[in-house]
């Protein structure tokens, strides 16, 4: 029997099914509205954890007219079993023009039995007409020591949000240019590492990537180029404080979710405790690259010490004029990632740049708060 929803489960921890009655697989995700062929729709992109941590299920997409009921749009970035699949029609159309060496490089990012694809986010580029996905690209590769040694940002593009995305590559990003600086477990040799990441598109169409680096010690905010497919300035020529900024240095933050509300920039993130939840923090700034003012914990009620058993992934700006912002969180189930849940909560804005995540169960957007 198909489920029809008119409320969000919130902290109730109820499973969420698509319009075909299957559990939604869009973890570490993002929801935003695009106009495609003249029609506005919401699109939810995320990690497919059908098979748990591995084999990697790729990037999954769902669409909705109302934010409650979601249609399965399929896997939009597929992973591979072997390089032999480059000769199959699906992958040949995408990568047939590449050299053998280039295909082998792409395969490292898409090897379903070794790769890690986390926290995918999508932007639409008005200049190129392309949809651009960035994600935390990690996993095993020859000579690595573990699943998070690669620590790069992957990029893929397509002409439509529910199409077949073509992988462009994966990259190290900006770094603090000091060989004697504190780089945590990454070290100088692995500078520019990328782990948890997100994207932000400002009202002037400038795009930014936000990511944990320096052994997760530091949060970087870097400008992207006009196509949104790479850094605005080559990482070896980029100037700290101009092309990128380092924020919350030594604070060990991840799961970044940046958004803009009434000309103030907000960032919610979590601590670094692997799959286990911890207290969220949020900060406010007058510019996407900071400086950021730490505002503390956005949760006020029982369960705040674990962000109501969730970890931030995105904030949905539904209606800025009415203060309509929804916090998206993941409730990870390490023992069975396929059944990890989703917690969506209303954000309540207060004077002086303050906000709270309101603890709610079975709530509807637009309904009056019970607090």
């Amino acid at each position: 029997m198909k489920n029809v929803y008119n409320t969000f489960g919130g902290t109730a921890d109820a499973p969420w099914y698509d319009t075909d009655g299957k559990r939604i697989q869009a973890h570490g995700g993002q929801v935003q509205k695009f106009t495609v062929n003249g029609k506005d729709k919401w699109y939810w992109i995320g990690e497919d954890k059908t098979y748990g941590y591995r084999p990697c299920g790729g990037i999954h997409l769902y669409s909705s007219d109302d934010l409650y009921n979601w249609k399965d749009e399929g896997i939009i970035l597929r992973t591979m079993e072997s390089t032999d699949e480059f000769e199959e029609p699906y992958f040949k159309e995408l990568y047939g023009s590449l050299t053998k060496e280039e295909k082998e490089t792409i395969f490292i990012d898409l090897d379903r039995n070794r790769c890690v694809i986390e926290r995918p986010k999508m932007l639409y580029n008005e200049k190129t007409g392309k949809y651009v996905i960035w994600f935390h690209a990690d996993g095993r590769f020859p000579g690595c020591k573990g699943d998070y040694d690669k620590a790069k940002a992957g990029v893929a593009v397509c002409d439509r949000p529910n199409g077949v995305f073509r992988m462009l590559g994966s990259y190290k990003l900006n770094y603090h240019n000091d060989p004697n600086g504190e780089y945590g477990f990454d070290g100088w040799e692995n500078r520019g590492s990328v782990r948890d990441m997100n994207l932000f598109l400002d009202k002037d169409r400038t795009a930014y990537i936000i990511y944990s680096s320096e052994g997760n010690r530091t949060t970087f905010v870097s400008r992207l180029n006009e196509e949104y497919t790479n850094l605005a300035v080559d990482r070896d020529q980029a100037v700290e404080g101009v092309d990128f900024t380092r924020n919350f240095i030594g604070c060990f933050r991840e799961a970044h979710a940046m958004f803009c509300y009434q000309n103030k920039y907000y960032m919610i993130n979590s601590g670094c405790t692997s799959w286990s939840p911890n207290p969220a923090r949020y900060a406010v700034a007058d510019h996407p690259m900071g400086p950021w003012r730490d505002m503390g914990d956005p949760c006020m009620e029982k369960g705040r010490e674990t962000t109501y058993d969730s970890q931030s992934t995105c904030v949905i700006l539904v209606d800025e004029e009415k203060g309509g912002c929804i916090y998206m969180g993941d409730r990870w189930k390490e023992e069975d990632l396929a059944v990890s849940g989703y917690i969506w909560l209303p954000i309540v804005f207060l004077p002086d740049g303050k906000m709270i995540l309101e603890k709610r169960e079975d709530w509807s957007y637009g309904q009056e708060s019970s607090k």
Side-chain angles (χ1 to χ4, degrees), residues 83-96:
T83 55
D84 293 340
E85 291 187 52
F86 282 115
E87 298 306 312
E88 296 181 2
Y90 181 95
F91 291 107
K92 192 170 187 177
E93 183 175 349
L94 293 172
Y95 307 110

Side-chain angles (χ1 to χ4, degrees), residues 114-130:
R114 294 180 177 84
C115 75
V116 171
I117 293 177
E118 295 180 338
R119 300 195 173 269
K121 304 294 184 288
M122 185 191 297
L123 295 177
Y124 175 65
N125 189 292
E126 292 182 347
K127 175 182 175 181
T128 64
K130 300 285 188 183

Side-chain angles (χ1 to χ4, degrees), residues 287-336:
H287 189 276
M289 292 205 293
W292 291 90
R293 178 163 57 105
D294 181 37
M295 302 294 286
D297 190 338
C299 300
M300 297 289 110
E301 301 179 59
K302 183 179 179 180
R304 61 182 294 183
E305 66 279 359
T306 62
T307 317
Y308 310 131
D309 291 328
S310 76
Q311 185 184 39
S312 50
T313 183
C314 178
V315 170
I316 310 169
L317 190 61
V318 184
D319 189 333
E320 184 172 354
E321 290 186 6
K322 297 181 180 179
C325 294
I326 299 175
Y327 161 87
M328 289 179 62
D330 291 287
R331 182 169 280 177
W332 299 109
K333 308 285 189 183
E334 184 177 4
E335 69 282 0
D336 189 357

Side-chain angles (χ1 to χ4, degrees), residues 134-135 150-155 170-176 190-195 197-199 208-213 220-224 229-236 238 244:
W134 284 76
F135 62 93
K150 187 169 64 175
K152 293 184 177 182
V155 185
S170 62
Y171 316 101
K172 296 286 190 183
L173 298 181
N174 289 129
Y175 60 91
H176 181 50
N190 212 18
R191 59 193 179 277
S193 288
V194 179
R195 291 185 174 84
M197 51 74 56
N198 209 323
L199 298 175
Y208 301 85
I209 184 168
I210 307 103
Y211 59 98
S212 298
S213 193
F220 278 64
V221 180
S222 300
R223 283 191 300 115
L224 297 180
T229 56
N230 214 319
L231 295 173
V233 177
D234 181 273
R235 75 189 202 113
D236 293 327
F244 69 95

Side-chain angles (χ1 to χ4, degrees), residues 53-54 108-109 114-116 118 136-153 170-173 183-196 212-216:
Y53 190 70
R54 284 208 183 91
I108 290 175
D109 291 323
R114 294 180 177 84
C115 75
V116 171
E118 295 180 338
H136 168 207
D138 230 311
R140 301 277 175 168
F141 62 97
C144 75
K145 298 178 182 178
D147 286 322
Y148 293 96
D149 275 7
K150 187 169 64 175
K152 293 184 177 182
S170 62
Y171 316 101
K172 296 286 190 183
L173 298 181
Y183 288 85
F185 56 75
D186 285 329
W188 171 253
E189 292 185 355
N190 212 18
R191 59 193 179 277
S193 288
V194 179
R195 291 185 174 84
D196 272 15
S212 298
S213 193
E214 299 177 355
N216 284 342

Side-chain angles (χ1 to χ4, degrees), residues 1 6 14 28 44 53 73 105 178 226 240 271 317 319 336 338:
M1 181 177 178
N6 54 23
W44 183 354
Y53 190 70
E73 297 280 356
T105 299
D178 178 6
E226 292 185 357
E240 185 172 337
L317 190 61
D319 189 333
D336 189 357

